[in-house]
Amino acid sequence: MAPPAIHKAPSAGTVPHYLTDYDSARRQFTWQQERRSLAGDLDSGLNMAHEAIDRWVERGQGGRIAARFIDRNWGRADVTYAELQGSARKFANVLGSLGIGRGAAVATLLGRVPELFSVALGTLEAGKVFCSLFSAFGPEPLKTRLQLGHLQVLVTTDGFYRRKVAAIRDTLPELRHVLIVREDSKEPLPPGTADFAQLMSRASDTYETAPTRDTDVALLHFTSGTTGKPKGVTLTHAAVVAQHATSQLVLDLHPGEVFWCTADPGWVTGIAYGLIGPLTCGATLIVDREEFDPRRWYRILAEEAINVWYTAPTAIRMLMKAGTPLARERSYPRLRHMASVGEPLNAEAVIWGVEALGMPFHDTWWQTETGSIMIANFPACEVLPGSMGRAVPGIEAQVVRRAPGGKLEIVESPEEVGEIALRPGWPSMFSSYLENPERYQASFIDGWYLAGDLARRDREGYFWFIGRADDVIKSSGHLISPFEVESALMTHPAVAQAGVIGVPDPIAGQAVKAFVELRDGFEPTEELRRKIMGHARRQLGAVVAPREIAFEQSLPRTRSGKIMRRLLRARELGLPQGDLSTLEGNA
Ligand code: ATP
Ligand code: MG
């Protein structure tokens, strides 16, 4: 049974929301209008970086802080919109001086540092394709991605270059230039590389934005690799229209507001909402250069006076694990909206937000392929804990079933599970899977894009996540949602996280097995196992409850924080583990 809806906390309603009435927002919204209000008519050209920064400088607001970088020792470095524009333009000129042509791809392998932003925006400004590689990747995953993306320029540090790139450089004939952001200027530059700072210091900060069009490719992202080998996904400059609209409608970002997106720029969220979308809204980005740490995160929320926070279920569950009292050691009077993405957000976590921080987390659903948020709980609307929310204005989303003859049918019953389908035509829809046109084609059926996720849709249009199509369990003719079982397990006080899979069963077809990570202070005893099992049975009934529970120190996760159920399954069944390039802790 679903927990009750959460209505907006009264203290949070101090800013007028962009979306106040969902139904009328949906009726009034058109992408043409959104495109026009951001960047003029279709024939006017469109450039992501221009929309993100130049517009503000042109309006005389270049002195506003675009980003604040926080280092390990709490040193803060602020970059204004005008400074970011200057460094982006310098980098655009550097690319010109290196003879890099339009449409060529430029990658970064950097931590969360200002140079990454300059390179990203400069590359876009110059009409080239930007790709941010996750900095914890080792040589093999880097090689695969650099080759697949035909990357011509790589900006990285000397340390990363020596440890990860030098040994694979010979295998990358298309990689023409490696630019080094030097950590230690006394060390000689590695052979075959150039000094980033030196090139930048010689470059002019005057640059005329390349006349890019809506359909020109702007970004290359690699998916998280949760269900298999990561896919290369391209987004066009038009994606900025949807990233802007959703930064307003879903994240509710106003000019001058302080926004913290905890996603790393190595994943799509870290660029769409860690850089582009919020800047188009005139917000100030907070960028923590360090890794997750509960105390540190609460300090940032409080001291940086974060207004809007966008984070992920794993982080939320780890904060829950660290306990509510820690959250309450500080107060967050400026915080007014919290949202989550990347994995199913358990009702328990939504409600914990109210308990610990005074407001619910608002779940949002999207994918690398969709390029922007598609389904969301909106700040001014009631939150249904455990639901992903409703389709964003401008997005037609349905739950569908496959009918004979390759047709799709819209599922009308709120009880029936089907696949999430989106009607193509929104501006940030991916334009290709790199080197895999067949797979791209296969994602579109009967006039819909099929996302590969299963859900239910209730009469009010709220979507309820069931699981990845690959993860769903079929037991004795029932379709069992791993998410539902995991959420029920998490309501037991000892359970911090759970991953649920189906294992072969001679009678039922599949049986449910749960892998459970305990909260601090609980011992993995036989007695506890029985208690959790009993709790799950009471919540779920005997058919759906796990038949087996295994305790794990930590569940296998992708580096972007998603539970890798395919790996739990492979290990359980003794099958090949598949692509492990995005497995956390894997060098
Ligand atoms: P791969 O495609 O390589 O297996 P991935 O699908 O995890 O990896 P992403 O594009 O980063 O790569 O993630 C999108 C997926 O994340 C969605 O398809 C969905 O399964 C999951 N997801 C994102 N947000 C939510 C959410 N709010 N609730 C449930 N699942 C979500
Ligand atoms: Mg995917």
Side-chain angles (χ1 to χ4, degrees):
M1 203 186 62
I6 300 174
H7 297 274
K8 195 116 202 97
S11 62
T14 45
V15 179
H17 297 296
Y18 280 103
L19 183 154
T20 46
D21 176 343
Y22 177 75
D23 293 321
S24 73
R26 262 195 93 74
R27 272 196 308 276
Q28 284 159 21
F29 187 95
T30 66
W31 288 115
Q32 290 88 330
Q33 178 53 34
E34 198 61 26
R35 162 70 162 87
R36 202 171 299 131
S37 69
L38 185 72
D41 281 319
L42 260 183
D43 54 10
S44 58
L46 182 69
N47 184 284
M48 250 185 189
H50 180 79
E51 302 317 325
I53 43 174
D54 298 345
R55 261 174 352 114
W56 298 104
V57 181
E58 283 164 10
R59 289 182 194 169
Q61 298 187 25
R64 181 183 290 154
I65 298 173
R68 164 172 288 183
F69 294 84
I70 308 177
D71 69 22
R72 177 192 296 266
N73 303 316
W74 297 97
R76 273 105 164 156
D78 290 350
V79 184
T80 65
Y81 276 77
E83 287 165 344
L84 199 49
Q85 182 191 52
S87 63
R89 290 182 166 183
K90 276 174 178 255
F91 188 70
N93 280 316
V94 167
L95 289 178
S97 71
L98 296 174
I100 302 300
R102 279 281 293 279
V106 175
T108 50
L109 177 66
L110 292 170
R112 292 182 285 271
V113 294
E115 287 84 352
L116 192 154
F117 283 19
S118 311
V119 171
L121 293 164
T123 301
L124 294 168
E125 189 101 28
K128 280 116 188 151
V129 179
F130 176 69
C131 173
S132 166
L133 295 165
F134 184 53
S135 63
F137 281 144
E140 275 306 312
L142 287 173
K143 184 170 107 185
T144 318
R145 287 163 179 77
L146 287 163
Q147 284 177 345
L148 191 63
H150 303 283
L151 285 144
Q152 294 192 12
V153 180
L154 174 68
V155 182
T156 187
T157 64
D158 25 9
F160 284 156
Y161 185 79
R162 286 200 181 84
R163 287 204 303 279
K164 303 166 183 244
V165 186
I168 57 166
R169 182 83 187 263
D170 282 353
T171 68
L172 305 166
E174 288 173 289
L175 183 61
R176 291 169 57 196
H177 300 278
V178 175
L179 313 183
I180 300 289
V181 176
R182 297 175 84 170
E183 290 163 326
D184 181 357
S185 54
K186 286 189 218 75
E187 286 274 313
L189 269 183
T193 68
D195 187 330
F196 176 81
Q198 212 173 62
L199 289 169
M200 289 287 277
S201 71
R202 288 199 225 116
S204 155
D205 60 3
T206 314
Y207 189 84
E208 184 139 353
T209 309
T212 45
R213 313 214 54 94
D214 293 55
T215 48
D216 290 343
V217 173
L219 296 167
L220 165 59
H221 292 294
F222 289 94
T223 60
S224 291
T226 315
T227 53
K229 193 166 184 280
K231 302 171 281 279
V233 166
T234 57
L235 302 179
T236 65
H237 279 275
V240 70
V241 177
Q243 294 173 352
H244 173 69
T246 46
S247 295
Q248 290 189 333
L249 297 170
V250 181
L251 301 175
D252 205 36
L253 285 175
H254 292 69
E257 282 204 300
V258 183
F259 174 61
W260 186 22
C261 169
T262 61
D264 189 89
W267 312 109
V268 68
T269 309
I271 297 295
Y273 300 104
L275 181 66
I276 304 292
L279 291 185
T280 65
C281 296
T284 294
L285 299 163
I286 297 296
V287 186
D288 184 21
R289 295 180 55 171
E290 288 298 295
E291 294 313 313
F292 174 82
D293 171 73
R295 276 181 198 283
R296 187 174 169 96
W297 277 32
Y298 289 129
R299 181 169 168 189
I300 292 174
L301 280 174
E303 284 187 1
E304 296 304 325
I306 306 290
N307 300 121
V308 179
W309 188 31
Y310 197 24
T311 188
T314 310
I316 299 169
R317 289 193 292 259
M318 290 204 283
L319 292 175
M320 290 169 75
K321 194 172 171 183
T324 309
L326 189 65
R328 292 207 181 132
E329 277 177 16
R330 293 176 184 272
S331 64
Y332 316 91
R334 305 292 286 279
L335 190 62
R336 64 173 188 83
H337 183 46
M338 309 197 298
S340 163
V341 70
E343 267 209 306
L345 183 66
N346 319 82
E348 192 77 2
V350 176
I351 296 161
W352 179 81
V354 181
E355 185 189 319
L357 295 156
M359 66 199 76
F361 285 99
H362 291 63
D363 195 12
T364 68
W365 176 92
W366 59 294
Q367 315 178 296
T368 312
E369 289 90 336
T370 69
S372 66
I373 301 168
M374 297 284 110
I375 295 173
N377 286 282
F378 299 89
C381 305
E382 66 179 12
V383 175
L384 301 185
S387 162
M388 306 194 288
R390 290 175 287 180
V392 165
I395 298 300
E396 189 186 345
Q398 294 287 356
V399 166
V400 301
R401 75 171 83 80
R402 292 177 197 240
K407 290 278 168 212
L408 295 182
E409 289 169 358
I410 293 174
V411 169
E412 301 294 346
S413 157
E415 311 302 326
E416 189 179 328
V417 172
E419 293 183 57
I420 298 179
L422 304 163
R423 184 74 83 187
W426 73 96
S428 60
M429 191 181 86
F430 69 136
S431 56
S432 73
Y433 278 133
L434 274 193
E435 317 237 311
N436 204 343
E438 299 80 20
R439 181 154 194 172
Y440 185 75
Q441 287 307 326
S443 316
F444 298 89
I445 295 181
D446 196 17
W448 294 90
Y449 164 67
L450 286 182
D453 285 350
L454 301 182
R456 286 187 298 107
R457 185 172 181 271
D458 69 19
R459 300 215 185 281
E460 280 69 48
Y462 282 82
F463 286 79
W464 300 79
F465 187 75
I466 298 294
R468 311 268 191 149
D470 299 1
D471 287 340
V472 154
I473 303 160
K474 288 210 181 80
S475 187
S476 306
H478 300 277
L479 196 142
I480 296 178
S481 150
F483 172 52
E484 196 180 4
V485 179
E486 288 159 13
S487 293
L489 287 167
M490 275 194 60
T491 61
H492 189 279
V495 177
Q497 306 215 53
V500 165
I501 61 165
V503 293
D505 179 274
I507 295 156
Q510 277 189 309
V512 178
K513 175 159 185 180
F515 297 83
V516 162
E517 202 177 297
L518 293 175
R519 281 194 196 229
D520 294 344
F522 288 91
E523 290 301 317
T525 61
E526 202 39 55
E527 193 195 347
L528 182 60
R529 190 198 312 273
R530 272 201 306 276
K531 280 190 179 154
I532 297 175
M533 200 89 94
H535 176 82
R537 284 219 182 93
R538 277 190 300 280
Q539 300 259 315
L540 297 163
V543 178
V544 180
R547 209 177 49 192
E548 238 185 295
I549 292 179
F551 292 123
E552 295 277 315
Q553 271 297 335
S554 74
L555 296 169
R557 285 189 202 100
T558 65
R559 294 173 190 274
S560 52
K562 300 165 194 250
I563 296 172
M564 267 187 176
R565 293 175 193 80
R566 70 168 159 105
L567 196 53
L568 288 172
R569 218 160 27 227
R571 285 176 184 167
E572 179 69 22
L573 306 179
L575 297 171
Q577 306 209 18
D579 184 296
L580 297 183
S581 64
T582 59
L583 176 66
E584 193 178 59
N586 214 25

